[in-house]
Amino acid sequence: MADIETFPNRHPGRDYTIVHTCPEFTAVCPKTGQPDFGTIRISYVPDQECVELKSLKVYLQGYRDRGIYYEHVTNVILDDLVAAVRPKRMTVEGDFHVRGGISTVVRAEYEGGGRGARASARGPRAARRR
């Protein structure tokens, strides 16, 4: 997977929300091998760092050929972003298109302490700071 890069938040003393939307997210169903399509929404209150968008795009594109369930991919994206950015709060929502007559929305949330908080049980596997 591609590294998630960050840049310094120029307003760390103010709580504000950043929302990134990827309406063309694709992965592969591990059971059928068929492509899954959806929208990934990332909403977070930054602490010291913000997500650099080109690296986010490349990171999300890394799932195109990966077999992974909706529930797992949403949580993995959250874990990786929290490890990279260490936000005050973050939500990742996967809104997946209809498959087999059922649409699915998965929402994973993180409430953290920001600077110095433990980001993830998995650690900063995909994180890289500039």
Side-chain angles (χ1 to χ4, degrees), residues 66-78:
R66 184 171 170 190
I68 190 166
Y69 289 105
Y70 298 155
E71 299 80 2
H72 187 52
V73 74
T74 304
N75 280 280
V76 169
I77 292 169
L78 176 65

Side-chain angles (χ1 to χ4, degrees), residues 9 14-18 43-47 49 85-91:
N9 176 11
R14 176 181 302 142
D15 282 359
Y16 62 99
T17 302
I18 299 171
S43 176
Y44 71 103
V45 176
D47 189 15
E49 300 288 325
V85 182
R86 302 201 188 301
K88 293 179 181 178
R89 290 180 294 284
M90 181 176 277
T91 301

Side-chain angles (χ1 to χ4, degrees), residues 25-73:
F25 181 82
T26 58
V28 175
C29 173
K31 186 165 181 88
T32 67
Q34 297 296 309
D36 287 326
F37 302 95
T39 298
I40 298 291
R41 285 182 201 83
I42 300 156
S43 176
Y44 71 103
V45 176
D47 189 15
Q48 300 299 308
E49 300 288 325
C50 298
V51 174
E52 192 279 320
L53 290 181
K54 182 178 179 186
S55 71
L56 177 62
K57 177 183 83 167
V58 172
Y59 167 80
L60 291 173
Q61 287 174 344
Y63 286 98
R64 284 190 174 162
D65 297 321
R66 184 171 170 190
I68 190 166
Y69 289 105
Y70 298 155
E71 299 80 2
H72 187 52
V73 74

